[in-house]
Amino acid sequence: MADSAQTFDLDAYLKRIGWEGERRPDTDTLRAVHLAHLRAVPFENLDPVSGTAPSLDLGDLTAKLVHSRRGGYCYEHNTLFAAALRALGFRVTLLAARVVVGAERIEDRPRTHMALLVEVPGDPQPYLADVGFGAIGSLLEPVPLTADTEFHDAGRRHRLVHVPHRGPLEMWVLQAHRGIGTGAGAGADAGWEAQYAFTTEPFEQPDYEVINWHIATNPRSPFSRRPYVQRLLPGRHLLLDGNRLTETRADGTVTERELTGEAEARRVVEEDFDIAVPAGLTLLDG
């Protein structure tokens, strides 16, 4: 990926996400492009569901996520986003994180999530960026790599904390606030929930080739067994997990329903998520 700034089609990417601002490597641009990407390109795992490990080649990602009505999961989104940021003049380090939502211990989860550490020219503070975390607790805008400070990113609330571990580098944990307006339900205040843990050790693209193949093809991986699709819309978040469709509104209201069958699932994915379902793919078993 070292030459991605020279080969990446930045014009097509910015058109895809609908961003027309000045192309400056500053914090305002970083935040704006991050949010625009999330609102334009859905999260989906339809290739793994079909039995295929998606390509992380930049040309293939551009064809799929930029020029087609498709999305992807973390390795696809953040590989593409890293290329765009580098083309805009940012320095990007690839990170590998342990998704810890629902885990009792950080060590119980492998490093399977790609996140990004972004350096802004002239700013001594690096930023955690991530357009590929398929969860309601995901970042909407990058946040400074600063511990014990609450950040309000486009209506969501996050913070980073340190936790003890045995390694030589500090272990960071991204937490999302699951209270009013963040998807916990109207009138609820469930406090902070850990999303993923990471160190700032650099990872390289070949590392993700291996992780991507494992997550896409392992029969025990949740991404290979059922569709998992999400889309960020103004004032609401849509999630399809198997046959269950969940809508979370900005005020915390959550509605859920089960889809009735394959025809409805295809219609929802095509129309509500704006994703072209690959030919021959069956979304729901039975």
Side-chain angles (χ1 to χ4, degrees):
M1 292 190 59
D3 63 345
S4 59
Q6 286 72 42
T7 61
F8 183 67
D9 190 345
L10 184 61
D11 290 339
Y13 171 80
L14 295 179
K15 182 179 179 180
R16 169 71 162 106
I17 68 172
W19 192 77
E20 299 177 347
E22 293 190 37
R23 302 181 183 185
R24 297 189 300 244
D26 56 25
T27 55
D28 288 341
T29 299
L30 176 61
R31 291 191 182 98
V33 173
H34 192 284
L35 183 59
H37 180 116
L38 283 165
R39 287 175 170 167
V41 189
F43 182 100
E44 49 110 326
N45 66 326
L46 300 188
D47 284 350
V49 170
S50 70
T52 301
S55 171
L56 301 186
D57 175 80
L58 190 56
D60 293 338
L61 290 175
T62 300
K64 180 182 176 184
L65 275 69
V66 174
H67 294 298
S68 301
R69 288 178 50 237
R70 290 293 305 276
Y73 60 2
C74 70
Y75 319 115
E76 299 171 275
H77 277 279
N78 281 325
T79 297
L80 184 71
F81 190 56
L85 292 181
R86 288 170 175 146
L88 286 166
F90 297 95
R91 182 177 179 180
V92 182
T93 299
L94 309 181
L95 305 178
R98 304 178 189 273
V99 177
V100 295
V101 179
E104 293 185 4
R105 302 188 315 144
I106 289 174
E107 296 80 9
D108 291 339
R109 299 288 178 83
R111 292 197 189 204
T112 58
H113 176 62
M114 177 193 279
L116 306 175
L117 191 67
V118 182
E119 296 175 53
V120 179
D123 189 339
Q125 183 66 59
Y127 289 78
L128 176 68
D130 187 355
V131 295
F133 190 51
I136 189 67
S138 64
L139 290 173
L140 296 185
E141 296 176 333
V143 296
L145 196 68
T146 302
D148 303 317
T149 300
E150 183 173 328
F151 303 104
H152 292 236
D153 48 302
R156 292 183 183 173
R157 297 163 61 186
H158 288 91
R159 70 181 182 187
L160 290 162
V161 299
H162 288 141
V163 296
H165 79 124
R166 293 182 298 172
L169 299 177
E170 290 179 319
M171 179 68 74
W172 296 82
V173 174
L174 175 70
Q175 296 180 333
H177 194 274
R178 301 288 288 174
I180 299 170
T182 60
D189 189 353
W192 295 95
E193 180 183 43
Q195 303 297 301
Y196 54 77
F198 62 95
T199 65
T200 56
E201 176 186 359
F203 279 66
E204 304 299 335
Q205 199 64 34
D207 298 320
Y208 299 103
E209 295 287 347
V210 175
I211 300 170
N212 173 50
W213 182 85
H214 171 78
I215 292 298
T217 63
N218 190 320
R220 293 187 296 174
S221 168
F223 287 111
S224 68
R225 294 184 296 185
R226 66 183 188 275
Y228 191 85
V229 187
Q230 74 169 9
R231 186 182 183 192
L232 181 67
L233 296 163
R236 62 194 182 112
H237 175 274
L238 292 178
L239 169 65
L240 177 64
D241 185 357
N243 69 340
R244 182 170 294 275
L245 180 65
T246 303
E247 179 185 65
T248 304
R249 293 194 171 271
D251 63 1
T253 303
V254 178
T255 58
E256 296 183 354
R257 67 181 179 90
E258 290 188 359
L259 304 185
T260 57
E262 181 69 18
E264 184 183 23
R266 296 183 74 87
R267 180 189 62 76
V268 166
V269 171
E270 291 269 1
E271 298 179 5
D272 295 350
F273 291 90
D274 195 25
I275 293 172
V277 178
L281 174 61
T282 300
L283 292 171
L284 303 181
D285 290 333

